[in-house]
């Protein structure tokens, strides 16, 4: 069963963002369960600009390839090289070691709290 940590905010497209500076972005349990075993990540490079609601990368699994949508706008300041090297980290720990990028945020997109995201998944 998927979990939705209360301290995170979520997009309807199954990404999460925390409130730290820089902000950490990843994908949810719901996404990892739907994707199956993740085998490849395509993430933006450090210094790249991301825009809330727009594609910033791709995740490839044994089932499909899915686009990643940024929950915020800003500049990528770090990429999780460990997850790029071993994408299974995203499956095993999507809210911890499986984070994707860190972004210096200039604006937020449409974000949901944990209860609203969970209700969206149940609806």
């Amino acid at each position: 069963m998927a979990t939705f940590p209360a301290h995170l905010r979520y997009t309807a497209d199954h990404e999460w963002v925390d409130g730290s500076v820089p902000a950490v972005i990843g994908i949810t349990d719901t996404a990892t369960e739907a994707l199956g075993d993740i085998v490849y990540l395509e993430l933006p490079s450090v210094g790249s600009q991301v825009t809330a609601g727009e594609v910033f990368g791709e995740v490839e699994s044994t089932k499909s390839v899915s686009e990643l949508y940024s929950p915020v706008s800003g500049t990528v300041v770090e990429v999780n090289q460990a997850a790029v090297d071993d994408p299974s980290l995203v499956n095993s720990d999507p809210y911890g070691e499986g984070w994707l990028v860190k972004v210096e945020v200039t604006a937020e997109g449409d974000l949901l709290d944990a209860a609203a995201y969970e209700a969206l998944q149940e609806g």
Side-chain angles (χ1 to χ4, degrees), residues 16-102:
W16 59 262
V17 61
D18 71 1
S20 66
V21 177
V24 180
I25 296 172
I27 62 173
T28 65
D29 272 355
T30 301
T32 63
E33 288 172 7
L35 288 165
D37 293 334
I38 296 171
V39 297
Y40 179 75
L41 294 171
E42 182 180 307
L43 301 173
S45 57
V46 171
S48 297
Q49 298 295 309
V50 295
T51 302
E54 293 189 9
V55 174
F56 75 95
E58 288 184 345
V59 58
E60 182 177 334
S61 72
T62 54
K63 293 181 182 180
S64 66
V65 175
S66 296
E67 294 179 324
L68 299 166
Y69 295 89
S70 185
V72 296
S73 296
T75 304
V76 176
V77 295
E78 188 176 344
V79 175
N80 186 351
Q81 192 60 47
V84 171
D85 293 342
D86 182 7
S88 69
L89 287 174
V90 179
N91 288 105
S92 63
D93 192 10
Y95 302 115
E97 295 299 313
W99 62 274
L100 302 176
V101 295
K102 293 183 180 180

